[in-house]
Amino acid sequence: MAGQGPVWRYAVDTREDLLESVRFMAVHAGLVVDDRTSARWLVIGAVMAAQAAAIRVLSEAPMEDGSRRNPLFLIKQCCDEKRLRPPFTLTLSNADLARLKGLIEARNAFIHPPNAGWTLDLAPLPRGVSAVTKVVRHLATVQPTAPARLGEGEQESLDGALDHIDTAMDFWLSQFEGPAL
């Protein structure tokens, strides 16, 4: 129509959201040891990836309004045999759930910083990010439900990115001194 400018829209499906979030994580996982500013983007990408993986496998079940916005709720739903039947059920330790909760809290701090800015202890982040790769690997690679399956090239790309992230987190973790996390 005359007088209207272009319509700017960005549409993304959960498959693309998952793949792009993991690729984004992989880039920042490779940078974070030398550039601590990448920690912010790694954490944001990690939470997005876990959320996208969970939404993909839970997509056929009805969900409460707002539940898609709560990554920890979604991940716990994937751990519930009533919501995601074996062998698709995600199994996480209490330690992994606590790490994921800490990562989500870090993401929230990054997205909604207080007026004075923020300071964040980076030492727990490698284990939190590794918990995310565990979630994504199980939901998208090991036991994907039918709607969550990726194409062969996409699967290889995802697996390679997850391997890169795990290697980077192992190296990053080795750089911290002190008691085990």
Side-chain angles (χ1 to χ4, degrees):
M1 282 194 198
Q4 289 185 343
V7 176
W8 295 94
R9 292 192 180 122
Y10 176 64
V12 64
D13 62 23
T14 58
R15 179 195 57 75
E16 183 180 356
D17 191 24
L18 173 63
L19 294 169
E20 290 304 316
S21 295
V22 172
R23 289 181 191 129
F24 185 78
M25 281 177 68
V27 167
H28 289 283
L31 297 173
V32 73
V33 170
D34 295 322
D35 180 3
R36 296 293 194 244
T37 62
S38 280
R40 175 183 197 166
W41 305 112
L42 174 60
V43 167
I44 291 168
V47 173
M48 289 178 65
Q51 189 168 0
I55 288 171
R56 283 183 59 74
V57 300
L58 297 171
S59 64
E60 293 187 348
M63 300 184 88
E64 299 170 22
D65 287 343
S67 64
R68 290 179 185 258
R69 287 180 250 140
N70 184 333
L72 193 59
F73 175 83
L74 290 168
I75 292 165
K76 286 179 178 180
Q77 291 291 295
C78 292
C79 296
D80 182 349
E81 290 184 4
K82 293 176 186 165
R83 292 282 289 165
L84 200 58
R85 301 223 183 266
F88 305 109
T89 312
L90 176 63
T91 303
L92 292 174
S93 67
N94 287 336
D96 281 335
L97 285 169
R99 290 176 183 129
L100 290 165
K101 182 179 179 190
L103 201 67
I104 292 164
E105 289 170 357
R107 188 272 320 248
N108 293 343
F110 286 139
I111 291 176
H112 308 289
N115 290 338
W118 40 257
T119 301
L120 184 68
D121 179 10
L122 298 179
L125 296 185
R127 291 192 194 272
V129 171
S130 293
V132 167
T133 63
K134 186 185 296 185
V135 167
V136 171
R137 197 176 299 278
H138 178 82
L139 297 177
T141 302
V142 177
Q143 289 293 344
T145 61
R149 288 196 180 104
L150 299 171
E152 187 175 323
E154 293 172 331
Q155 192 66 59
E156 290 172 6
S157 175
L158 183 76
D159 290 340
L162 291 171
D163 289 344
H164 173 76
I165 295 163
D166 284 337
T167 300
M169 291 305 96
D170 288 345
F171 179 73
W172 191 19
L173 190 58
S174 75
Q175 301 304 298
F176 292 107
E177 297 180 0
L181 303 175

